[in-house]
Structure formats: structure tokens, C-alpha cells
Amino acid sequence: MNAILRRLKNNCHLIPAALTGYLLLKGWQPQLPGWECPFRALTGIPSPGCFLTRATSAALTGQLDRSIELHLFGPIVAATLVIWSIASIRTKRLIPKQPSLPAVSIAISALFSYWLLRIFFSYILHFDGFPGFPSP
């Protein structure tokens, strides 16, 4: 058992590249398995990350217009994943550089604000704030 854990620890820097590769494949083959949003399953309301997987996959396959249509953060997450993958492989560390607290706070605030805007457009103004998701 220790040999397996040691091997996992020695190769954990490949996780970002594996995730990026899977999302690239999912962009070409959307029928690949994934998981549904638990927040949306419980509440019926899309979460801040709903459609982000599909948007990231679309961005990784070069479909930027489709990516932005699904989720504004799709191209940003795709670029971040590619940069993280390269940095992890180069440094052989899962987290090559500690993210700064202000940068993480800004990113989370922007994602939450974008989600609130989409909720407002979908549930208050009855516009299509979430493509492919039925408006109330």
C-alpha cells in the first residue's frame, strides 16, 4: 500500500494535465461521462459553476464563441488550466506557486457577481441567462 501512495505522491503533478486532457477530449466527445451539478439537483437553480465544464471544454477545442455563450469564465478557466498544467509538469509540484489571497478573492467575487447577474436575467427578467436551461 505504501508503494502505491508513494507513486501517487510522486506523480500528483500530472493531475492538472490529466484534467485538462480530459476536458479537451470532452470538448470533442461531449458524451463522455461527467457529473451533474449537486446544487442544481437540490435547488433547481444553476450554481455559479453550472455550464463551466462545457464552456472550458469548448474553449480548449477552440470554440471561443460557444464557450463564452455557455459561461463567460470558460476561456479564463481553460487558459488557467493550461498554464497550471505546464507549471506543474515543469516544477513537478501539484501547486507550483501559492496563489495570492487578493487574486483568489477577486476571482471568487467576479464569479459570484456573474452568477447573480445571470440569475437576475433568468429569473427576474425572464431572459436566457443560462443557455440550454429552461427559464422559470
Side-chain angles (χ1 to χ4, degrees):
M1 184 68 158
N2 284 339
I4 294 171
L5 291 176
R6 208 172 314 112
R7 182 177 274 165
L8 281 173
K9 183 182 177 199
N10 291 338
N11 293 307
C12 70
H13 66 280
L14 298 174
I15 292 172
L19 175 61
T20 304
Y22 179 76
L23 290 175
L24 179 66
L25 285 174
K26 190 145 176 75
W28 288 325
Q29 300 293 322
Q31 72 274 12
L32 284 174
W35 54 84
E36 291 295 318
C37 174
F39 182 82
R40 187 172 69 190
L42 287 172
T43 65
I45 299 170
S47 74
C50 277
F51 304 100
L52 190 53
T53 302
R54 283 177 258 184
T56 302
S57 294
L60 287 169
T61 58
Q63 304 170 33
L64 293 180
D65 54 338
R66 175 75 176 141
S67 176
I68 292 170
E69 177 186 327
L70 288 167
H71 200 293
L72 186 63
F73 282 64
I76 296 166
V77 171
T80 302
L81 279 174
V82 170
I83 292 166
W84 181 24
S85 298
I86 293 168
S88 290
I89 290 170
R90 281 184 150 174
T91 62
K92 293 193 181 262
R93 296 183 67 203
L94 178 61
I95 302 173
K97 181 182 175 190
Q98 194 70 5
S100 70
L101 184 59
V104 171
S105 298
I106 290 169
I108 290 172
S109 296
L111 181 64
F112 188 71
S113 298
Y114 175 63
W115 175 64
L116 288 176
L117 188 64
R118 291 176 91 182
I119 292 291
F120 176 76
F121 273 103
S122 292
Y123 292 88
I124 306 298
L125 300 179
H126 301 288
F127 287 125
D128 189 17
F130 298 94
F133 189 78
S135 295

